[in-house]
Amino acid sequence: MFRLPLLIALSLLIAFGGGIWSTLVALDATVGFGAIRLGAWEAFPQAQTINADPYAKAHRANGGKLLLGSAEGLSFTASVDDAGARLDGNCTYVISGQTPPTRAWTLFVTGEDRLPPSPDAERPQALNSRIVLRRADGSFEVTVSSGAFPGNWLSTTPNQPFRLVLTLLDTPTAGSSGLIDLTMPKLSKTGCSHA
């Protein structure tokens, strides 16, 4: 007597549960389509526009973030180095070179949760174009490591993967179709400690 309703309830539970689970996995797996990859850096120029694909719109709604318009800026993310290896908190990396033309930029370290650093963090997890130390030619070098370094240094958490987020603000490249020709800073691994 209760066998048929139980089978129907079980089927609905599997269908709805599987659908919700697969949607959440898809939202965590990608920001959307139309990614542009420049070395280690990846951007989704259409993700913040009205022409964004459904996955990008759902990702934006799920994150609850206020995103930049296409004329306001462009955000690049790196989860691998220039050699394609995953960024690891036990390793030391150097970001060197120059950013594309921009009025200002920010660079910060984030975990897999993609949340920006806490403003009350004891160690430096963010830099911007106003405070970065530069060479005479305008280029810069930032060390990303769990141990302290002189000069420009961003702190990571040991034994955890991380991402780097470079946001170009008020840049002509955000509304340009010439994104492929941009030169991004190099992101290279200099060593690892297996503590």
Side-chain angles (χ1 to χ4, degrees):
M1 178 171 161
F2 292 110
R3 185 174 181 198
L4 184 60
L6 183 63
L7 288 176
I8 292 172
L10 185 60
S11 299
L12 290 174
L13 180 66
I14 291 171
F16 284 115
I20 291 170
W21 175 80
S22 65
T23 301
L24 293 175
V25 168
L27 288 177
D28 285 340
T30 182
V31 173
F33 300 108
I36 293 178
R37 191 163 194 79
L38 303 166
W41 304 96
E42 183 178 51
F44 294 87
Q46 297 297 318
Q48 304 174 127
T49 67
I50 196 165
N51 300 327
D53 63 87
Y55 283 102
K57 289 179 181 178
H59 192 274
R60 184 172 58 201
N62 187 41
K65 297 177 186 172
L66 179 63
L67 300 177
L68 299 171
S70 61
E72 295 172 335
L74 186 59
S75 187
F76 288 88
T77 304
S79 56
V80 297
D81 61 18
D82 283 342
R86 185 99 178 106
L87 297 180
D88 182 0
N90 291 328
C91 297
T92 300
Y93 300 89
V94 173
I95 303 168
S96 59
Q98 295 186 354
T99 62
T102 183
R103 185 176 304 250
W105 55 262
T106 62
L107 174 66
F108 66 87
V109 175
T110 182
E112 290 296 299
D113 54 10
R114 300 179 184 175
L115 295 174
S118 171
D120 59 348
E122 296 177 5
R123 296 162 54 120
Q125 295 178 323
L127 282 172
N128 63 54
S129 56
R130 295 192 60 165
I131 63 172
V132 71
L133 301 173
R134 296 179 186 271
R135 298 183 185 117
D137 64 356
S139 65
F140 59 87
E141 186 173 288
V142 178
T143 304
V144 182
S145 176
S146 59
F149 276 82
N152 300 316
W153 167 57
L154 292 176
S155 174
T156 61
T157 305
N159 303 317
Q160 291 185 10
F162 65 93
R163 295 174 191 265
L164 293 165
V165 179
L166 174 64
T167 305
L168 307 176
L169 302 166
D170 194 12
T171 176
T173 60
S176 165
S177 60
L179 286 170
I180 305 298
D181 300 331
L182 296 179
T183 302
M184 295 296 290
K186 297 192 181 319
L187 175 55
S188 53
K189 183 190 302 182
T190 60
C192 293
S193 65
H194 300 287

PDB file of all heavy atoms in Angstrom, residues 111-129:
ATOM      1  N   GLY A 111      41.453  32.465  -0.973  1.00  0.00           N
ATOM      2  CA  GLY A 111      41.427  31.006  -0.892  1.00  0.00           C
ATOM      3  C   GLY A 111      40.510  30.428  -1.953  1.00  0.00           C
ATOM      4  O   GLY A 111      40.021  31.127  -2.846  1.00  0.00           O
ATOM      5  N   GLU A 112      40.245  29.168  -1.845  1.00  0.00           N
ATOM      6  CA  GLU A 112      39.354  28.504  -2.784  1.00  0.00           C
ATOM      7  C   GLU A 112      37.924  29.029  -2.688  1.00  0.00           C
ATOM      8  O   GLU A 112      37.132  28.857  -3.596  1.00  0.00           O
ATOM      9  CB  GLU A 112      39.374  26.993  -2.544  1.00  0.00           C
ATOM     10  CG  GLU A 112      40.674  26.341  -2.954  1.00  0.00           C
ATOM     11  CD  GLU A 112      40.938  26.447  -4.444  1.00  0.00           C
ATOM     12  OE1 GLU A 112      40.144  25.933  -5.235  1.00  0.00           O
ATOM     13  OE2 GLU A 112      41.951  27.063  -4.821  1.00  0.00           O
ATOM     14  N   ASP A 113      37.585  29.671  -1.562  1.00  0.00           N
ATOM     15  CA  ASP A 113      36.233  30.205  -1.383  1.00  0.00           C
ATOM     16  C   ASP A 113      36.001  31.489  -2.176  1.00  0.00           C
ATOM     17  O   ASP A 113      34.895  32.000  -2.223  1.00  0.00           O
ATOM     18  CB  ASP A 113      35.952  30.465   0.096  1.00  0.00           C
ATOM     19  CG  ASP A 113      37.011  31.345   0.749  1.00  0.00           C
ATOM     20  OD1 ASP A 113      37.858  31.916   0.024  1.00  0.00           O
ATOM     21  OD2 ASP A 113      36.994  31.457   1.985  1.00  0.00           O
ATOM     22  N   ARG A 114      37.065  32.025  -2.781  1.00  0.00           N
ATOM     23  CA  ARG A 114      37.014  33.220  -3.621  1.00  0.00           C
ATOM     24  C   ARG A 114      36.596  34.475  -2.866  1.00  0.00           C
ATOM     25  O   ARG A 114      36.143  35.449  -3.463  1.00  0.00           O
ATOM     26  CB  ARG A 114      36.080  33.026  -4.822  1.00  0.00           C
ATOM     27  CG  ARG A 114      36.515  31.892  -5.715  1.00  0.00           C
ATOM     28  CD  ARG A 114      35.591  31.709  -6.862  1.00  0.00           C
ATOM     29  NE  ARG A 114      35.997  30.544  -7.628  1.00  0.00           N
ATOM     30  CZ  ARG A 114      35.331  30.067  -8.636  1.00  0.00           C
ATOM     31  NH1 ARG A 114      34.240  30.644  -9.034  1.00  0.00           N
ATOM     32  NH2 ARG A 114      35.755  29.016  -9.283  1.00  0.00           N
ATOM     33  N   LEU A 115      36.718  34.480  -1.558  1.00  0.00           N
ATOM     34  CA  LEU A 115      36.383  35.669  -0.779  1.00  0.00           C
ATOM     35  C   LEU A 115      37.592  36.586  -0.719  1.00  0.00           C
ATOM     36  O   LEU A 115      38.727  36.121  -0.620  1.00  0.00           O
ATOM     37  CB  LEU A 115      35.961  35.278   0.641  1.00  0.00           C
ATOM     38  CG  LEU A 115      34.680  34.466   0.760  1.00  0.00           C
ATOM     39  CD1 LEU A 115      34.467  34.028   2.202  1.00  0.00           C
ATOM     40  CD2 LEU A 115      33.492  35.269   0.265  1.00  0.00           C
ATOM     41  N   PRO A 116      37.389  37.902  -0.748  1.00  0.00           N
ATOM     42  CA  PRO A 116      38.524  38.825  -0.626  1.00  0.00           C
ATOM     43  C   PRO A 116      39.107  38.757   0.785  1.00  0.00           C
ATOM     44  O   PRO A 116      38.455  38.270   1.705  1.00  0.00           O
ATOM     45  CB  PRO A 116      37.911  40.196  -0.920  1.00  0.00           C
ATOM     46  CG  PRO A 116      36.450  40.028  -0.746  1.00  0.00           C
ATOM     47  CD  PRO A 116      36.128  38.587  -0.957  1.00  0.00           C
ATOM     48  N   PRO A 117      40.333  39.254   0.959  1.00  0.00           N
ATOM     49  CA  PRO A 117      40.964  39.178   2.278  1.00  0.00           C
ATOM     50  C   PRO A 117      40.232  40.035   3.307  1.00  0.00           C
ATOM     51  O   PRO A 117      39.567  41.012   2.970  1.00  0.00           O
ATOM     52  CB  PRO A 117      42.382  39.695   2.028  1.00  0.00           C
ATOM     53  CG  PRO A 117      42.288  40.489   0.784  1.00  0.00           C
ATOM     54  CD  PRO A 117      41.180  39.887  -0.030  1.00  0.00           C
ATOM     55  N   SER A 118      40.397  39.662   4.550  1.00  0.00           N
ATOM     56  CA  SER A 118      39.797  40.415   5.644  1.00  0.00           C
ATOM     57  C   SER A 118      40.578  41.701   5.865  1.00  0.00           C
ATOM     58  O   SER A 118      41.810  41.691   5.843  1.00  0.00           O
ATOM     59  CB  SER A 118      39.819  39.565   6.916  1.00  0.00           C
ATOM     60  OG  SER A 118      39.445  40.334   8.028  1.00  0.00           O
ATOM     61  N   PRO A 119      39.909  42.832   6.099  1.00  0.00           N
ATOM     62  CA  PRO A 119      40.641  44.084   6.306  1.00  0.00           C
ATOM     63  C   PRO A 119      41.462  44.097   7.587  1.00  0.00           C
ATOM     64  O   PRO A 119      42.384  44.879   7.718  1.00  0.00           O
ATOM     65  CB  PRO A 119      39.541  45.150   6.350  1.00  0.00           C
ATOM     66  CG  PRO A 119      38.264  44.424   6.534  1.00  0.00           C
ATOM     67  CD  PRO A 119      38.474  43.015   6.101  1.00  0.00           C
ATOM     68  N   ASP A 120      41.148  43.222   8.546  1.00  0.00           N
ATOM     69  CA  ASP A 120      41.911  43.200   9.789  1.00  0.00           C
ATOM     70  C   ASP A 120      42.949  42.074   9.817  1.00  0.00           C
ATOM     71  O   ASP A 120      43.413  41.688  10.883  1.00  0.00           O
ATOM     72  CB  ASP A 120      40.962  43.083  10.983  1.00  0.00           C
ATOM     73  CG  ASP A 120      40.106  41.828  10.931  1.00  0.00           C
ATOM     74  OD1 ASP A 120      40.069  41.167   9.876  1.00  0.00           O
ATOM     75  OD2 ASP A 120      39.470  41.507  11.950  1.00  0.00           O
ATOM     76  N   ALA A 121      43.329  41.577   8.654  1.00  0.00           N
ATOM     77  CA  ALA A 121      44.352  40.527   8.583  1.00  0.00           C
ATOM     78  C   ALA A 121      45.680  41.079   9.079  1.00  0.00           C
ATOM     79  O   ALA A 121      46.026  42.232   8.826  1.00  0.00           O
ATOM     80  CB  ALA A 121      44.479  40.015   7.155  1.00  0.00           C
ATOM     81  N   GLU A 122      46.431  40.240   9.794  1.00  0.00           N
ATOM     82  CA  GLU A 122      47.699  40.685  10.364  1.00  0.00           C
ATOM     83  C   GLU A 122      48.829  40.703   9.335  1.00  0.00           C
ATOM     84  O   GLU A 122      49.800  41.412   9.503  1.00  0.00           O
ATOM     85  CB  GLU A 122      48.091  39.762  11.525  1.00  0.00           C
ATOM     86  CG  GLU A 122      47.113  39.834  12.680  1.00  0.00           C
ATOM     87  CD  GLU A 122      47.462  38.857  13.788  1.00  0.00           C
ATOM     88  OE1 GLU A 122      48.515  38.191  13.690  1.00  0.00           O
ATOM     89  OE2 GLU A 122      46.684  38.762  14.738  1.00  0.00           O
ATOM     90  N   ARG A 123      48.705  39.912   8.277  1.00  0.00           N
ATOM     91  CA  ARG A 123      49.743  39.841   7.262  1.00  0.00           C
ATOM     92  C   ARG A 123      49.205  40.410   5.954  1.00  0.00           C
ATOM     93  O   ARG A 123      48.019  40.328   5.692  1.00  0.00           O
ATOM     94  CB  ARG A 123      50.171  38.389   7.091  1.00  0.00           C
ATOM     95  CG  ARG A 123      50.813  37.855   8.371  1.00  0.00           C
ATOM     96  CD  ARG A 123      50.855  36.349   8.433  1.00  0.00           C
ATOM     97  NE  ARG A 123      51.464  35.700   7.314  1.00  0.00           N
ATOM     98  CZ  ARG A 123      52.525  34.922   7.375  1.00  0.00           C
ATOM     99  NH1 ARG A 123      53.113  34.711   8.516  1.00  0.00           N
ATOM    100  NH2 ARG A 123      52.990  34.334   6.298  1.00  0.00           N
ATOM    101  N   PRO A 124      50.062  40.992   5.129  1.00  0.00           N
ATOM    102  CA  PRO A 124      49.581  41.629   3.895  1.00  0.00           C
ATOM    103  C   PRO A 124      49.036  40.625   2.885  1.00  0.00           C
ATOM    104  O   PRO A 124      49.723  39.690   2.508  1.00  0.00           O
ATOM    105  CB  PRO A 124      50.821  42.340   3.350  1.00  0.00           C
ATOM    106  CG  PRO A 124      51.969  41.590   3.921  1.00  0.00           C
ATOM    107  CD  PRO A 124      51.515  41.074   5.261  1.00  0.00           C
ATOM    108  N   GLN A 125      47.787  40.799   2.496  1.00  0.00           N
ATOM    109  CA  GLN A 125      47.166  39.922   1.518  1.00  0.00           C
ATOM    110  C   GLN A 125      46.683  40.693   0.297  1.00  0.00           C
ATOM    111  O   GLN A 125      46.084  40.106  -0.591  1.00  0.00           O
ATOM    112  CB  GLN A 125      45.996  39.175   2.157  1.00  0.00           C
ATOM    113  CG  GLN A 125      46.431  38.233   3.258  1.00  0.00           C
ATOM    114  CD  GLN A 125      45.265  37.547   3.910  1.00  0.00           C
ATOM    115  OE1 GLN A 125      44.208  38.129   4.096  1.00  0.00           O
ATOM    116  NE2 GLN A 125      45.460  36.304   4.270  1.00  0.00           N
ATOM    117  N   ALA A 126      46.943  42.007   0.263  1.00  0.00           N
ATOM    118  CA  ALA A 126      46.484  42.818  -0.866  1.00  0.00           C
ATOM    119  C   ALA A 126      47.464  43.954  -1.122  1.00  0.00           C
ATOM    120  O   ALA A 126      48.103  44.470  -0.210  1.00  0.00           O
ATOM    121  CB  ALA A 126      45.093  43.372  -0.582  1.00  0.00           C
ATOM    122  N   LEU A 127      47.577  44.318  -2.383  1.00  0.00           N
ATOM    123  CA  LEU A 127      48.370  45.459  -2.838  1.00  0.00           C
ATOM    124  C   LEU A 127      47.540  46.234  -3.848  1.00  0.00           C
ATOM    125  O   LEU A 127      46.586  45.695  -4.414  1.00  0.00           O
ATOM    126  CB  LEU A 127      49.652  44.997  -3.532  1.00  0.00           C
ATOM    127  CG  LEU A 127      50.810  44.526  -2.685  1.00  0.00           C
ATOM    128  CD1 LEU A 127      51.897  43.943  -3.585  1.00  0.00           C
ATOM    129  CD2 LEU A 127      51.373  45.654  -1.855  1.00  0.00           C
ATOM    130  N   ASN A 128      47.941  47.469  -4.090  1.00  0.00           N
ATOM    131  CA  ASN A 128      47.297  48.227  -5.162  1.00  0.00           C
ATOM    132  C   ASN A 128      48.336  49.103  -5.843  1.00  0.00           C
ATOM    133  O   ASN A 128      49.476  49.192  -5.400  1.00  0.00           O
ATOM    134  CB  ASN A 128      46.097  49.031  -4.648  1.00  0.00           C
ATOM    135  CG  ASN A 128      46.484  50.077  -3.644  1.00  0.00           C
ATOM    136  OD1 ASN A 128      47.340  50.913  -3.887  1.00  0.00           O
ATOM    137  ND2 ASN A 128      45.835  50.035  -2.478  1.00  0.00           N
ATOM    138  N   SER A 129      47.935  49.743  -6.919  1.00  0.00           N
ATOM    139  CA  SER A 129      48.866  50.516  -7.743  1.00  0.00           C
ATOM    140  C   SER A 129      49.429  51.738  -7.023  1.00  0.00           C
ATOM    141  O   SER A 129      50.464  52.256  -7.421  1.00  0.00           O
ATOM    142  CB  SER A 129      48.179  50.943  -9.037  1.00  0.00           C
ATOM    143  OG  SER A 129      46.998  51.657  -8.750  1.00  0.00           O
TER     144      SER A 129
END
